[in-house]
Amino acid sequence: MLNLKNPDLYNNREISWLQFNTRVLKQAQDESLPLLERLKFLAIYGTNLDEFYMIRVAGLKKLFAAGIIVSSADKLTPLQQLREIRVYLHQEQQVVEYCMNGILKKLETEGISVKLYSEVNQHQKQYLNRYFHENIYPVIIPIAIDATHPFPHLNNLSFGLIIKLRDSDNTTIERFGIIRVPRVLERFVELENDIYIPIESLVAEHVEELFPGYTLIKYASFRVTRNADIEIEEEEADDFLEILEEGLKLRRKGAMVRLEVGSDGDDEIVNFFNRHTNVYKDDIYTFHTFLNLSSLWQIVSNKHFAHLLSEPFKTKTLPPLDNIENIFTTLEKQDILLYHPYESFDPVVKLIQVAAKDPDVVSIKMTLYRSGTDSPIVKALMSASESGKQVTVMVELKARFDEENNLIWAKALEKAGAHVIYGIKGFKVHAKATLITRRKGGKLKQYAHLGTGNYNPATSKIYTDMSYLTSKDEITTDMTRFFHFLTGFSKKGKLNELYMSPSQIKPKILSLIQNEARKKANGRIIAKLNSLVDDDVIKALYKASQAGVKIDLIVRGICSLKPGIEGVSENIRVISILGKYLEHARAFYFKNDEAKVYISSADWMPRNLTRRIELLTAIKDEKAREKIIQILQLQCADNSLAHELQSDGSYIKVKNDGIKIINNHKLLEEYVNKISKAATKESATSIEQLAARIFSEDDQNVI
């Protein structure tokens, strides 16, 4: 029997995440995509990397500083991981710069250009000078650094210029300073003819106005990254809101973990800056392009060049939700499974809006994790509460980087009279659930929504997620018990029909895998998720593979499992799909289970399975179950957007034969368009037949 604890059988979590971001970068390198679509992926790559440094690298640094050697199944220490991360990113930086320069060069032929102040004509310089004095000069912050002017604190993701100056009256005197560029200023100054000027280029031209009596010798742009993980000692917190607000302030002041410097920065400039900031030398990155890749969104969002983005898809509302008078009556007749963004998220929003206005609705209970900045759902909940309905909302204040937004909504809901729960001590509530209770015929009837994604209409247009709508009593009764658990005290926290972490989901997943293993070659598993890290789940999958079970894993991001290892995982295939939409749904197929299909808010990671409140739902409705199976089949067959994980931890793009190209994003768009058009003129039966035909044409026999 092979030792399944052997570290060689596991990919490192952090390196696996970096490979995911590399696949995002490959989208930016894909010359078949429109130019601004490629630039968009560069912006996503940069945003992802910022968060990785703020959270993951910062965490490893703290572990190393504390002398902790605790490691995961791959057995790499924090120091070993930090070294590998730095080597990986310094090598990849050259690829990023080459890619960006190539895209920008091609954009020039389309009428978009990024130029320095020195590269524009005199008329344009005059405009830029006026712009500087009217829009930048009043808010920019010049800072002298000397014995009486200490080095300033720089907030997380602060951006600006490091400058070296010479006294105009006494040329032997040289001094250093900093110019902070506030975030209220856009990263690029846009000229009317779609020329983008990096703001540091313009500011550098006016340094001597900011420091009268001094001459600029040299400068370099800089950007700092700090530890942004908020630590909250909940046992010490009498007022959770107050301590979280304090944590948000401290986020801006965490330990500095990365320094990015423009290519003009020589050793003298960098060494001066780093004497005060003390960033480890290998966490200093010098860029030969401009800093802050996430700022590329400013260019991507230029509406005059929308034709340089992928063609937008208008989400559709399909039967039976496209033309109904009463959504509650519809849910009493049948369950509904929606696959976003192809199918609109609007029915979920409308369900809550209708419930808020319906005089027969007595209560609405909901979890909110990331709801967006202008949420129609939260507004509906506030309206419902103000009209006298019982509204209970679990607002997860620890949703990373959405804490501030969630604080605002939580206070607004409380002000409207809703009962707001701010979290469960020691856990994040990551479940996506809504329960509506309504009077019908002198009795109470309940309606539920369970999802794999957030209640955020904006992200629902770009994230793939699943929504399950039902009025089945066995599910709504469990949902009532779930919300009672959130609002009250419970030592058991066990549900009957649904499965809830931290106590139920992991044992259930392990049991489902083990059941397939007992069926040996007749076993079959397909699992679609964002991340796979949990050691016990991976070992169970290895054992199932050894028993002969065919396993397909569709894992968008981190995957610590290694497929294709002889005697261990040769029956396991892992693909990652990246394309127009961000794959976010969690759905699972187990051939020999009675329910066969499940959806969940939880990935197979220790944090989801043991440190969060999550839900796993069996899909027993035949139509909904078949729809999920077809989606999983289609994704397994994808040979356009899929990258396949190799046994050495690398990923290789899945090749197509040029005859049958299966791009699951494109095919699903076409499918929904056809169903939507057919719905206006055909019967429900003929629409179902069309749906079945479309899927059967594009699927491979993977089950």
Side-chain angles (χ1 to χ4, degrees):
M1 177 66 75
L2 288 168
N3 177 18
L4 295 183
K5 293 183 179 180
N6 183 343
D8 292 339
L9 298 179
Y10 300 88
N11 293 316
N12 175 258
R13 170 193 169 139
E14 313 306 345
I15 301 304
S16 183
W17 184 92
L18 288 174
Q19 289 173 329
F20 156 69
N21 213 30
T22 296
R23 296 194 293 280
V24 175
L25 177 59
K26 284 183 178 179
Q27 292 294 108
Q29 296 171 282
D30 186 348
E31 295 188 358
S32 70
L33 295 176
L35 287 170
L36 286 186
E37 193 74 14
R38 294 174 61 191
L39 202 66
K40 181 184 78 174
F41 279 107
L42 263 185
I44 295 170
Y45 171 90
T47 303
N48 288 347
L49 194 55
D50 286 346
E51 184 171 334
F52 179 75
Y53 245 95
M54 285 189 279
I55 303 300
R56 302 304 307 176
V57 174
L60 289 171
K61 282 172 168 279
K62 287 189 71 174
L63 290 174
F64 172 67
I68 296 172
I69 309 298
V70 174
S71 59
S72 53
D74 60 274
K75 301 300 181 186
L76 291 182
T77 67
L79 180 58
Q80 288 172 322
Q81 293 178 70
L82 285 168
R83 285 172 174 164
E84 288 202 24
I85 288 167
R86 289 159 177 156
V87 170
Y88 192 107
L89 289 177
H90 278 288
Q91 290 176 346
E92 190 163 80
Q93 184 183 330
Q94 299 173 30
V95 180
V96 171
E97 293 179 352
Y98 181 81
C99 177
M100 182 189 292
N101 288 332
I103 295 172
L104 293 180
K105 187 174 181 180
K106 289 185 177 182
L107 280 173
E108 287 184 15
T109 65
E110 299 288 344
I112 299 178
S113 58
V114 178
K115 293 184 178 182
L116 301 178
Y117 177 93
S118 60
E119 295 173 331
V120 299
N121 62 41
Q122 196 59 38
H123 174 72
Q124 292 165 336
K125 286 180 180 177
Q126 289 174 358
Y127 169 81
L128 289 170
N129 292 338
R130 287 196 305 273
Y131 185 92
F132 174 83
H133 290 105
E134 293 172 4
N135 298 282
I136 299 176
Y137 185 82
V139 295
I140 207 157
I141 308 168
I143 302 169
I145 299 172
D146 56 26
T148 59
H149 297 84
F151 193 90
H153 172 79
L154 299 170
N155 289 339
N156 186 29
L157 302 182
S158 286
F159 170 73
L161 278 68
I162 316 164
I163 55 173
K164 185 178 182 182
L165 303 164
R166 179 177 291 119
D167 190 313
S168 301
D169 298 324
N170 185 347
T171 56
T172 63
I173 298 176
E174 295 179 347
R175 302 178 67 178
F176 286 97
I178 286 177
I179 300 173
R180 292 177 62 178
V181 179
R183 294 185 196 179
V184 294
L185 297 173
E186 289 193 315
R187 180 68 181 82
F188 301 98
V189 179
E190 185 178 354
L191 296 176
E192 288 182 6
N193 51 348
D194 302 311
I195 297 174
Y196 290 86
I197 311 298
I199 194 169
E200 68 271 25
S201 173
L202 177 54
V203 171
E205 290 295 322
H206 295 84
V207 166
E208 292 170 15
E209 295 177 49
L210 296 167
F211 294 90
Y214 286 86
T215 303
L216 178 65
I217 301 174
K218 56 187 173 182
Y219 78 94
S221 54
F222 74 88
R223 185 169 181 258
V224 300
T225 309
R226 292 184 176 276
N227 181 344
D229 205 8
I230 298 175
E231 292 186 15
I232 298 174
E233 298 295 334
E234 293 181 57
E235 300 290 344
E236 307 290 328
D238 294 323
D239 187 330
F240 190 80
L241 264 70
E242 184 179 336
I243 201 166
L244 183 65
E245 288 173 328
E246 190 61 31
L248 288 171
K249 294 175 186 176
L250 291 173
R251 169 177 281 169
R252 298 192 292 268
K253 302 178 181 180
M256 200 174 291
V257 293
R258 180 180 62 168
L259 171 63
E260 297 167 282
V261 183
S263 58
D264 290 330
D266 59 15
D267 288 345
E268 183 185 24
I269 284 271
V270 174
N271 290 338
F272 155 75
F273 192 85
N274 206 29
R275 281 200 301 273
H276 298 278
T277 56
N278 196 30
V279 177
Y280 183 68
K281 62 180 178 65
D282 288 339
D283 291 317
I284 299 173
Y285 296 81
T286 300
F287 281 82
H288 295 87
T289 55
F290 47 82
L291 306 182
N292 190 3
L293 292 175
S294 60
S295 66
L296 293 170
W297 282 109
Q298 185 183 344
I299 302 174
V300 171
S301 60
N302 188 325
K303 294 180 180 179
H304 298 296
F305 293 88
H307 61 282
L308 297 179
L309 288 164
S310 292
E311 184 178 352
F313 175 75
K314 187 175 181 180
T315 62
K316 303 294 191 299
T317 301
L318 301 181
L321 298 176
D322 57 331
N323 188 20
I324 57 172
E325 292 184 7
N326 190 316
I327 192 169
F328 299 116
T329 303
T330 301
L331 293 181
E332 287 164 15
K333 294 177 181 176
Q334 65 182 104
D335 291 356
I336 295 173
L337 190 286
L338 303 176
Y339 189 38
H340 313 300
Y342 313 100
E343 295 177 85
S344 176
F345 191 71
D346 287 349
V348 179
V349 176
K350 288 178 181 176
L351 172 67
I352 296 157
Q353 290 174 331
V354 168
K357 295 177 182 177
D358 189 331
D360 292 327
V361 168
V362 296
S363 77
I364 306 173
K365 298 180 180 181
M366 224 180 148
T367 61
L368 288 178
Y369 193 73
R370 302 186 195 276
S371 56
T373 54
D374 187 26
S375 173
I377 289 176
V378 177
K379 290 176 182 176
L381 293 172
M382 292 165 62
S383 175
S385 182
E386 288 166 349
S387 67
K389 292 179 171 57
Q390 181 196 71
V391 176
T392 303
V393 189
M394 164 65 235
V395 181
E396 181 48 79
L397 296 181
K398 293 172 285 185
R400 185 174 290 144
F401 299 119
D402 267 344
E403 301 98 339
E404 195 163 0
N405 186 55
N406 286 3
L407 269 172
I408 293 169
W409 282 130
K411 290 178 179 179
L413 284 162
E414 271 198 336
K415 189 176 180 180
H419 176 58
V420 180
I421 313 154
Y422 295 112
I424 304 296
K425 189 165 69 176
F427 299 95
K428 276 188 182 180
V429 179
H430 192 249
K432 327 296 182 185
T434 299
L435 181 65
I436 296 166
T437 304
R438 184 173 180 262
R439 292 190 189 92
K440 188 183 181 221
K443 296 182 180 180
L444 294 179
K445 179 67 178 172
Q446 293 182 303
Y447 311 83
H449 170 268
L450 290 152
T452 64
N454 301 306
Y455 289 106
N456 188 327
T459 57
S460 73
K461 295 175 182 176
I462 53 175
Y463 288 22
T464 73
D465 271 306
M466 293 180 182
S467 283
Y468 182 51
L469 298 160
T470 183
S471 66
K472 281 191 168 70
D473 291 341
E474 58 268 32
I475 290 180
T476 58
T477 299
D478 249 11
M479 294 272 284
T480 299
R481 190 177 291 112
F482 169 71
F483 279 103
H484 285 174
F485 169 75
L486 294 185
T487 59
F489 292 104
S490 174
K491 291 184 178 179
K492 294 183 179 179
K494 186 177 181 181
L495 305 178
N496 297 325
E497 186 70 19
L498 305 175
Y499 301 88
M500 180 176 67
S501 65
S503 60
Q504 289 181 283
I505 295 181
K506 183 171 178 176
K508 179 62 177 178
I509 294 296
L510 292 174
S511 172
L512 289 165
I513 296 171
Q514 290 159 2
N515 183 53
E516 296 302 316
R518 285 192 287 271
K519 303 298 181 181
K520 301 186 182 298
N522 193 41
R524 183 77 174 96
I525 298 171
I526 306 177
K528 173 178 172 56
L529 56 160
N530 298 327
S531 301
L532 171 56
V533 176
D534 189 87
D535 298 354
D536 295 327
V537 173
I538 293 173
K539 288 171 187 172
L541 290 168
Y542 282 159
K543 289 177 181 178
S545 172
Q546 290 172 328
V549 178
K550 184 182 178 185
I551 302 170
D552 274 293
L553 302 175
I554 308 162
V555 186
R556 183 195 78 206
I558 304 166
C559 184
S560 295
L561 176 148
K562 288 186 176 182
I565 299 174
E566 186 178 354
V568 178
S569 57
E570 65 263 51
N571 290 314
I572 302 177
R573 178 177 184 251
V574 181
I575 61 170
S576 171
I577 292 174
L578 271 88
K580 185 175 180 178
Y581 303 112
L582 180 75
E583 294 293 333
H584 192 255
R586 293 95 167 179
F588 319 116
Y589 168 78
F590 297 93
K591 177 182 176 181
N592 294 286
D593 179 65
E594 182 181 356
K596 295 188 185 301
V597 172
Y598 296 77
I599 64 169
S600 182
S601 59
D603 287 309
W604 292 351
M605 302 178 73
R607 70 181 188 188
N608 299 93
L609 300 177
T610 61
R611 299 195 298 275
R612 288 185 174 184
I613 308 295
E614 307 265 16
L615 286 173
L616 173 72
T617 308
I619 305 298
K620 296 181 180 179
D621 178 82
E622 188 175 345
K623 277 188 183 178
R625 177 168 50 199
E626 186 59 30
K627 184 174 180 177
I628 293 173
I629 291 172
Q630 289 172 335
I631 290 166
L632 293 175
Q633 285 179 313
L634 185 60
Q635 292 214 317
C636 286
D638 190 294
N639 58 18
S640 180
L641 306 178
H643 292 74
E644 186 167 352
L645 177 60
Q646 308 300 299
S647 58
D648 64 357
S650 64
Y651 283 80
I652 295 176
K653 185 81 178 284
V654 175
K655 294 181 180 179
N656 58 66
D657 57 12
I659 300 170
K660 190 170 185 179
I661 299 173
I662 301 175
N663 177 324
N664 84 94
H665 290 180
K666 185 177 179 181
L667 288 170
L668 283 163
E669 285 181 347
E670 293 172 354
Y671 156 71
V672 169
N673 277 334
K674 288 179 181 178
I675 299 300
S676 180
K677 288 178 182 177
T680 62
K681 56 185 177 181
E682 298 186 30
S683 68
T685 302
S686 61
I687 292 168
E688 290 168 13
Q689 290 172 348
L690 173 62
R693 186 168 73 249
I694 291 169
F695 272 115
S696 65
E697 286 171 356
D698 295 318
D699 290 345
Q700 293 181 0
N701 184 22
V702 294
I703 291 181

